[in-house]
């Protein structure tokens, strides 16, 4: 006979936090949101911790190298999507690792016989105002000059005008030789009042750029997440099919942490993938796994050797797994049970395995609830897809700016590996949708507001850290009627009045 759970499974909107005692020290500026990303032994420090409890989802429409850089600046980690070629994913990892090292490989390059129209198109595509002019238009061609916004005026020049006629030529540029240290490069930038400094090899080829703004941004982002070489920390998604070739390429590119991207993690395929990583690299390569929704799933992946474990099936805003397959569980109930299993495992073994709540986050306060219920951090897709830094197009829909957003199980992504059950290499039916989300602006501005809410709520609960929140939190289930009571009701809200 089938097993029936006695308790109904619940989602985040069915819970509220009950305030606890807070004294004068409980102010948002005193709250630490530091949290472990990978497992560690009792009494030891984790190999990787984050400064904020947010990671971005392993999705084509969410996590590329640009998102990874923006999120690392805030103290979190992006997991670059794996539903692309091994070479392209590794290249994204390299760009993230190269960015914070200060020496940035130029990704806006043009040949001298191209035109102003090409310059404008390249600027629109990449958003960079500094464009390198090289002999062959590549990132490592012979440097001939640069083009910046100061070199042209669209209103006074023909779109057909050749780049060679208006670029700042090499002889007028200040450059530095390959081998220059970052400190020396920044000194040159300051001494000569430059915005950028090309680094050039002995045979005249462009090696990289050092930008003034990168130095300034470092000072503006005190919580940024860096590795031991002061490069941004970045994650990457892998699947359970081509891991024997994908993992070595990502490790060689410098990835800090991997995560198996799968809709369901309680499978032999995941244990095989983790075993390959352990047999090949030992504990030096960190790998998360999932997704699971109960104690059994957690124990399986913990014993397989996962460095962190993701929770959630069918709760994502673009996920229709529950509708198509009848598989899943309310996200709050799943987090609560897996958190108990994590604590049991810690008591038994002395090994703490962080857990990640993935999906089901609709409002900012849901993140605080997930943390209070035991999650160490949250993985977010829709939330990050709305921002300028996500890889999708910004489009106008009915007079409002929107961003495109689609699930990995949608017909658009066709990421069959994520839903692979060992059968044919294809997506037999969709488990995700293709949609729009309202454009929300820059990641930095939005994340700052979200974290402010989390810190404020933690203070209401008398907690100054995530572990303290998990110890002190008091949670109550709420009825459908009291959910209505929680919003504005029985009034005419001014901004909804038609003028």
């Amino acid at each position: 006979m089938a097993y029936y759970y006695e308790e109904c499974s619940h989602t985040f909107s069915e819970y509220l936090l009950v305030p606890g005692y807070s004294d004068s020290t409980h102010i948002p500026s005193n709250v630490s949101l530091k949290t472990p990303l990978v497992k560690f032994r009792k009494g030891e420090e984790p190999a990787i911790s984050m400064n904020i409890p947010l990671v971005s989802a392993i999705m084509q429409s969410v996590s590329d190298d640009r998102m990874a850089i923006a999120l690392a600046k805030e103290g979190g980690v992006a997991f670059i999507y794996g539903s692309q070629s091994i070479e392209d994913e590794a290249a994204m990892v390299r760009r993230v690792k190269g960015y914070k090292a200060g020496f940035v490989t130029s990704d806006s390059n043009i040949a001298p016989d191209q035109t102003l129209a090409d310059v404008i198109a390249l600027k629109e595509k990449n958003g960079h105002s500094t464009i390198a002019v090289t002999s062959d238009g590549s990132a490592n061609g012979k440097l001939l000059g640069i083009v910046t916004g100061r070199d042209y005026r669209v209103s006074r020049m023909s779109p057909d005008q050749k780049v060679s006629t208006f670029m700042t030529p090499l002889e007028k540029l200040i450059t530095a030789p390959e081998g220059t240290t970052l400190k020396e490069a920044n000194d040159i930038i300051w001494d000569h009042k430059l915005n950028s400094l090309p680094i050039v090899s002995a045979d005249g080829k462009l090696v990289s750029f050092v930008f003034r703004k990168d130095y300034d941004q470092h000072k503006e982002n005190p919580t940024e997440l860096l590795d031991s070489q002061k490069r941004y920390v970045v994650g990457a998604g892998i699947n359970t099919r081509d891991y024997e070739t994908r993992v070595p390429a990502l490790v060689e590119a410098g990835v800090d942490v991997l995560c198996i991207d799968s809709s369901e993690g309680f499978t032999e395929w995941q244990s095989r993938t983790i075993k390959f990583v352990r047999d090949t690299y030992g504990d030096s390569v960190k790998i998360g796994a999932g997704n699971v929704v109960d104690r059994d799933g957690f124990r399986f992946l913990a014993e397989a050797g996962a460095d962190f474990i993701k929770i959630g099936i069918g709760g994502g805003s673009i996920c229709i797994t529950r509708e198509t397959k009848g598989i899943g569980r309310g996200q709050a109930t799943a987090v609560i049970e897996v958190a108990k299993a994590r604590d049991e495992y810690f008591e038994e073994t002395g090994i703490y395995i962080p857990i990640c709540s993935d999906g089901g986050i609709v409002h900012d306060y849901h993140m605080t609830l997930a943390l209070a219920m035991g999650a160490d951090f949250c993985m977010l897709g829709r939330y990050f897809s709305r921002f300028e830094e996500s890889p999708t197009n910004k489009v106008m829909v009915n007079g409002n700016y929107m961003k495109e957003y689609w699930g990995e199980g949608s017909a658009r992504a066709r990421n069959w590996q994520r839903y692979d059950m060992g059968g044919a290499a294809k997506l037999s039916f969709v488990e995700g949708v293709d949609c729009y989300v309202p454009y929300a602006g820059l990641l930095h501005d939005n994340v700052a507001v979200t974290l402010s809410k989390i810190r404020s709520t933690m203070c209401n609960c008398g907690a100054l850290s995530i572990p303290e929140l998990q110890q002190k939190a008091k949670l109550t289930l709420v009825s459908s009627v009291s959910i209505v009571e929680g919003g504005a009701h029985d009034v005419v809200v001014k901004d909804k009045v038609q003028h």
Side-chain angles (χ1 to χ4, degrees), residues 226-244:
L226 307 175
D227 66 14
S228 59
Q229 299 176 53
K230 293 192 174 181
R231 303 174 301 180
Y232 285 132
V233 172
V234 60
I238 62 171
N239 61 66
T240 57
R241 285 269 182 152
D242 65 9
Y243 54 86
E244 291 184 350

Side-chain angles (χ1 to χ4, degrees), residues 205-316:
K205 291 184 176 180
L206 177 64
V207 176
S208 59
F209 274 102
V210 178
F211 293 98
R212 174 190 288 263
K213 65 179 175 59
D214 291 346
Y215 179 87
D216 294 338
Q217 286 175 351
H218 172 56
K219 299 302 181 187
E220 293 169 6
N221 295 289
T223 62
E224 63 184 358
L225 195 60
L226 307 175
D227 66 14
S228 59
Q229 299 176 53
K230 293 192 174 181
R231 303 174 301 180
Y232 285 132
V233 172
V234 60
I238 62 171
N239 61 66
T240 57
R241 285 269 182 152
D242 65 9
Y243 54 86
E244 291 184 350
T245 49
R246 189 174 293 269
V247 170
L250 295 171
V251 171
E252 190 275 331
V255 74
D256 295 280
V257 57
L258 302 169
C259 185
I260 303 171
D261 181 27
S262 175
S263 65
E264 208 271 292
F266 195 178
T267 74
E268 180 184 344
W269 311 111
Q270 296 227 353
S271 61
R272 285 186 187 182
T273 306
I274 296 168
K275 184 178 186 302
F276 167 78
V277 170
R278 292 288 171 254
D279 289 348
T280 309
Y281 302 101
D283 289 328
S284 65
V285 171
K286 306 302 180 184
I287 178 169
N291 286 12
V292 299
V293 292
D294 65 359
R295 179 183 183 278
D296 293 342
F298 172 86
R299 294 291 298 208
F300 173 78
L301 291 176
E303 287 160 9
D307 284 296
F308 67 86
I309 293 171
K310 290 204 291 129
I311 309 160
I313 295 175

Side-chain angles (χ1 to χ4, degrees), residues 54 64 77 129 226 232 349 366 374 402 408 464:
L54 307 180
D64 64 355
V77 174
S129 58
L226 307 175
Y232 285 132
T349 65
H366 289 171
M402 312 289 278
E408 289 295 293
L464 294 175

